[in-house]
Structure formats: C-alpha cells, structure tokens
Amino acid sequence: MSSERSSFTGKVGFVLAAAGSAVGLGNIWRFPYLAAKYGGGIFLLAYVILSVTFGFSLMVAEIAIGRKTQLSAIGAFRALDRRFAFVGPLASIVPIIILPYYSVIGGWVMKYISGFALGQTQRMADSGYFNAYIGKIGEPILWFVLFIVITTVVVFFGVEKGIEKVSKIMMPILILLILGIVIYTVCTMEGAWKGVIYYIKPDLSHFSLMTVVAAMGQLFYSMSLAMGIMITFGSYTKKEISIEQSTHQIEIFDTGIAFLAGLMIIPAVFAFSGGDQSALGQGPGLMFVTLPKIFHSMPGGTVIGITFFVMVFFAALTSAISLMETVVSIFMDRLHLGRRACCLLVLGISLLLGLLSTLGYSAWSEVKLLGMQFLDLFDFISNSVLMPIIALLTCIFVGYFLKPGTLIEEVELSGTFRGKHLFSVMIRFVAPVFILLILLSSVLNAFNIIQI
Ligand code: PHE
C-alpha cells in the first residue's frame, strides 16, 4: 500500500501544499468579518493564543496520525483502533458540507472580477450593491455554478498541479497587494487609524463567549483541521521531515495572511462608517462591501480591483480543489466507483446544496432554521458543531487510547520534539475540556437556550 502512495518531494513541497489548502477564503473573507464582529483586538488575541496552543497540537496530531498509518482519515482511525473507526467517516462529512457554500462565495468573487472588468467600480462601491446582488435569483446561481464547474473540471482531468503552480506565483502577489492596500488606507483615509486600534488593541469590554466560539471555529476552518485533510497530507509526508517545524510554518503563514486581511478591511470599515456597530457586525458581506469602496477611492482602483479579486479567486480555487479532492477520494474508496463518476456525483451534491445557499439570500430569504439562512446554517453545522466534535474525539482518542507518546515517537523520527509537553497537556486535558465547553455553549446558543 505504502509503496503506491505518492509523496511530497521534500519539506518545501509539503509546507507549500498544506499552505495552499489552508490559505483561502477563510483567511481573506471569513477572518476579517469575524474579527470585526466579535471584538477586534480581543478576537485577534484569542485567535493567536488558540492557534499556538490548541491549533498547533491538533495539527501535529493529525499530520502524525497520517504519517504513522500512511492512510487517509477513514482508514487511519480504523487502523489504529476499531472503536474509533467512526471518526473517519464523520470527519469526511465536513468537506461535503463546506464545498458547496465555499463555491457560492467563490462565485461572488468571480462576479466581482467581472464587475471591475466591466468598469462598474463606482456602482459596486455603493453600499446597497452587494445585498441587491445576492438578493437576485438568477445571476448568483450562474456564478456559483461556474465556480464549482471549474473546480470539478480541474479535479476531473487531474490538472491540479498546473493550478498549484499558478497559485504559487499568485500568492506572493496577493500578499504584496494586501500590504499595499493596508498602507494606502491607513495613510490616506480619515478615521482608519481608529480601526487599526480597534483591530490590534485587545479591549476586554468587547469580550464575550462568542469571541472564543468564533475564534475556535475559525481556527479549524482556516487551518483545514478536524476534517481529515491534514491526516491525508501527513500520509504523503516523508519520515525525515520535521512535523513540528512544518506545523509552525503553516501556522505562521496562515495566521499572517488572515491578520493582514483584517488589517486591510477593518480600518477601512471605520473610515467609511465611523466605527458604527452595524457596519462592523454585517457578517459575510463585509469584504464585498468594503473593498470596492477602497478601490473606488484609489487612483487606478479598477485595475487593482481586478487584480486583487483574480488573486483571491486562485486562493479560493486551490482550497476548493483540495476540498473536492478529499470528497472524491472518500467516495472512490467507499462506493468503489471510478474517479470521474465520483467527480460527477460530488458535482451533483454540491449543486444541490449550493443552490440552497444562494436561494437563502433571495427567493427563500424568509426560510430560517435556528434563525439562520442556509449559508450561515451550513457554516454553523460544519464549524461550530461537527468540527469541534471531531476535534474532541481526536483529542480523547490520542490522549487516552492511542496515548500521546505514540505520536510523539512519530514526530521524533526527525529529531527532538520541543513542544512535546505542551502537546500532551493540550491533547489530554486543556483541549478536550475547552472544546466541550465551546461546543455546548454554541449549540445551546443556537437553540436559544442560553444567550452568549
Ligand atoms: N482552509 C481553507 C480556507 O481558509 C478552507 C479549506 C478548508 C480548504 C478545508 C480545504 C479544506 O479557505
């Protein structure tokens, strides 16, 4: 079996591939709107603390499980302990839920590329533009379908390598662009500095339990944890590669880009709205409402707008490809169907679920489950329910059944594991208790049993 597995050529290959999957809409679209909504600096602080303790430990655990078993999530848990075999299939539900709504947002990105290309910068900078757009029935569906079809074509014909090459060139350009936009807003826009302070300085009065709930869900999402993806990546990794060092690098890269995206968007929100709470709390539309305003106010904003959204498109596409690849390979293993048949099956499911998400903003905007529209509901089920459950089960399994020592040994195949004490304390004690609390409070909150 292991001789058939492809493996990354080296450490750089592994870190880049994992970073390519990790960096996507989660960093650029999701992180800034959560940070704006849930307290700015205090959210950022909670996120960073969670990332270096809990995120680190979980990522090391997943990569080490994959490398040890040389299997993807479904096989890996079964191979290590039959009683935990169910965790694999459970983890594989997550990408099935995320891929469709991820593609809906990918569609929004494509619409914005076309909007700038058609010279509609001024119209797009209008405050009502975004909501009017997602409130339409036809167009958002078309863009969503286009995005998921492009993703399927790439996976169907197996041309991911080409796309990854392109996106490796795009990533540094994207970072430079974000930096440029940050400098532009902070230096030229009145009121932006207040936003920088809101974003960077932790203010306890903005803290609520939701700050931690949101930060934790975001951590799973952004680092592609708790859905088996890092287990698969681990299974492709050679024994001489340092899991600890690679994890740190992925973490720094992923969090760094999210941080910059927040710095690009939040100060601009302040500049345009004077720090009005409703502007900060607007949720998924934040990036799409704020960025066109910045581009409209900039010299050469139209060209910058096109370039920016094209880069975001590639970041989103590589993540969508890795989501789809995961689902397709699960279906291939389970259903014993060919790769292409599975691609079409995944496309069909995604079209159906994604359609719900787009219509949730238009024709079915009155339909609410647990007070949420479909897109928010899918996001909630995956990030606030399923992923915490999978992370909890992973911690209990590694902490009390497999034992942390087994994975520490795996990590130490390539040298000392400096964070091993942190790792075992996190996995055994801190993380399980913490995740359980978060899970309970977010679910009780959704059912309106408690208010957090
Ligand atoms: N981590 C990706 C992002 O931040 C989303 C993703 C999750 C991609 C899981 C692949 C797998 O956008």
Side-chain angles (χ1 to χ4, degrees), residues 21-27 102 221-224 227 229 319 322-323:
S21 159
V23 175
L25 293 170
N27 311 60
Y102 202 86
Y221 190 93
S222 188
M223 305 227 294
S224 309
M227 58 178 101
I229 289 195
S319 292
S322 99
L323 282 163

Side-chain angles (χ1 to χ4, degrees), residues 272-410:
F272 290 117
S273 73
D276 171 14
Q277 276 305 312
S278 64
L280 282 172
Q282 61 183 281
L286 189 68
M287 160 177 135
F288 294 93
V289 173
T290 311
L291 285 174
K293 288 188 202 287
I294 309 181
F295 296 144
H296 179 52
S297 78
M298 271 178 162
T302 299
V303 176
I304 297 176
I306 301 176
T307 325
F308 179 84
F309 278 100
V310 169
M311 307 298 142
V312 175
F313 168 75
F314 275 96
L317 188 62
T318 46
S319 292
I321 291 168
S322 99
L323 282 163
M324 186 153 192
E325 271 285 351
T326 313
V327 184
V328 166
S329 61
I330 292 164
F331 279 19
M332 281 166 63
D333 285 355
R334 296 254 113 182
L335 307 176
H336 306 292
L337 287 172
R339 180 181 172 84
R340 298 197 164 175
C342 290
C343 281
L344 295 177
L345 194 59
V346 177
L347 175 65
I349 296 174
S350 303
L351 285 174
L352 222 74
L353 294 180
L355 202 62
L356 283 180
S357 291
T358 49
L359 291 177
Y361 285 111
S362 53
W364 294 342
S365 59
E366 276 94 66
V367 185
K368 296 235 158 105
L369 293 166
L370 299 177
M372 291 176 245
Q373 280 152 330
F374 286 110
L375 194 144
D376 288 330
L377 183 74
F378 289 133
D379 191 79
F380 172 78
I381 296 176
S382 55
N383 295 288
S384 304
V385 183
L386 282 173
M387 289 156 115
I389 293 178
I390 292 152
L392 180 64
L393 288 166
T394 310
C395 290
I396 294 175
F397 170 58
V398 174
Y400 299 95
F401 291 84
L402 184 69
K403 302 284 184 282
T406 318
L407 293 186
I408 292 175
E409 257 169 43
E410 178 67 36

Side-chain angles (χ1 to χ4, degrees), residues 52 56 243-253 418:
V52 294
F56 166 77
I243 295 182
E244 184 176 28
Q245 228 180 46
S246 312
T247 299
H248 281 311
Q249 283 163 354
I250 300 166
E251 201 174 51
I252 291 171
F253 199 59
R418 285 195 298 166

Side-chain angles (χ1 to χ4, degrees), residues 92-382:
S92 53
I93 300 175
V94 177
I96 300 178
I97 297 180
I98 294 186
L99 177 64
Y101 84 81
Y102 202 86
S103 306
V104 171
I105 299 155
W108 296 351
V109 171
M110 294 180 77
K111 159 73 187 174
Y112 272 58
I113 297 175
S114 99
F116 282 109
L118 294 173
Q120 299 169 345
T121 313
Q122 186 170 358
R123 264 178 60 203
M124 293 162 74
D126 211 49
S127 289
Y129 180 86
F130 177 73
N131 282 331
Y133 169 67
I134 58 170
K136 288 190 203 165
I137 295 182
E139 215 191 326
I141 297 180
L142 283 180
W143 288 112
F144 147 66
V145 172
L146 193 59
F147 186 89
I148 185 79
V149 167
I150 294 177
T151 310
T152 312
V153 167
V154 174
V155 177
F156 191 94
F157 290 107
V159 290
E160 294 90 332
K161 288 277 165 299
I163 299 292
E164 274 158 22
K165 274 207 192 102
V166 179
S167 80
K168 264 174 220 161
I169 307 167
M170 300 284 186
M171 199 80 89
I173 306 179
L174 177 65
I175 298 174
L176 286 178
L177 254 162
I178 296 180
L179 273 174
I181 300 170
V182 169
I183 295 171
Y184 173 80
T185 10
V186 176
C187 296
T188 67
M189 289 186 184
E190 206 172 320
W193 194 246
K194 272 202 192 127
V196 175
I197 294 180
Y198 173 77
Y199 180 51
I200 289 186
K201 197 170 155 207
D203 179 346
L204 265 181
S205 69
H206 290 137
F207 183 83
S208 73
L209 203 52
M210 263 323 273
T211 309
V212 189
V213 173
M216 177 154 248
Q218 174 61 15
L219 186 68
F220 294 136
Y221 190 93
S222 188
M223 305 227 294
S224 309
L225 292 172
M227 58 178 101
I229 289 195
M230 285 298 156
I231 299 186
T232 309
F233 273 123
S235 73
Y236 297 146
T237 310
K238 294 203 174 119
K239 299 282 182 193
E240 60 271 16
I241 284 171
S242 162
I243 295 182
E244 184 176 28
Q245 228 180 46
S246 312
T247 299
H248 281 311
Q249 283 163 354
I250 300 166
E251 201 174 51
I252 291 171
F253 199 59
D254 189 65
T255 308
I257 296 192
F259 171 76
L260 285 178
L263 200 55
M264 164 177 77
I265 290 173
I266 295 176
V269 176
F270 269 74
F272 290 117
S273 73
D276 171 14
Q277 276 305 312
S278 64
L280 282 172
Q282 61 183 281
L286 189 68
M287 160 177 135
F288 294 93
V289 173
T290 311
L291 285 174
K293 288 188 202 287
I294 309 181
F295 296 144
H296 179 52
S297 78
M298 271 178 162
T302 299
V303 176
I304 297 176
I306 301 176
T307 325
F308 179 84
F309 278 100
V310 169
M311 307 298 142
V312 175
F313 168 75
F314 275 96
L317 188 62
T318 46
S319 292
I321 291 168
S322 99
L323 282 163
M324 186 153 192
E325 271 285 351
T326 313
V327 184
V328 166
S329 61
I330 292 164
F331 279 19
M332 281 166 63
D333 285 355
R334 296 254 113 182
L335 307 176
H336 306 292
L337 287 172
R339 180 181 172 84
R340 298 197 164 175
C342 290
C343 281
L344 295 177
L345 194 59
V346 177
L347 175 65
I349 296 174
S350 303
L351 285 174
L352 222 74
L353 294 180
L355 202 62
L356 283 180
S357 291
T358 49
L359 291 177
Y361 285 111
S362 53
W364 294 342
S365 59
E366 276 94 66
V367 185
K368 296 235 158 105
L369 293 166
L370 299 177
M372 291 176 245
Q373 280 152 330
F374 286 110
L375 194 144
D376 288 330
L377 183 74
F378 289 133
D379 191 79
F380 172 78
I381 296 176
S382 55

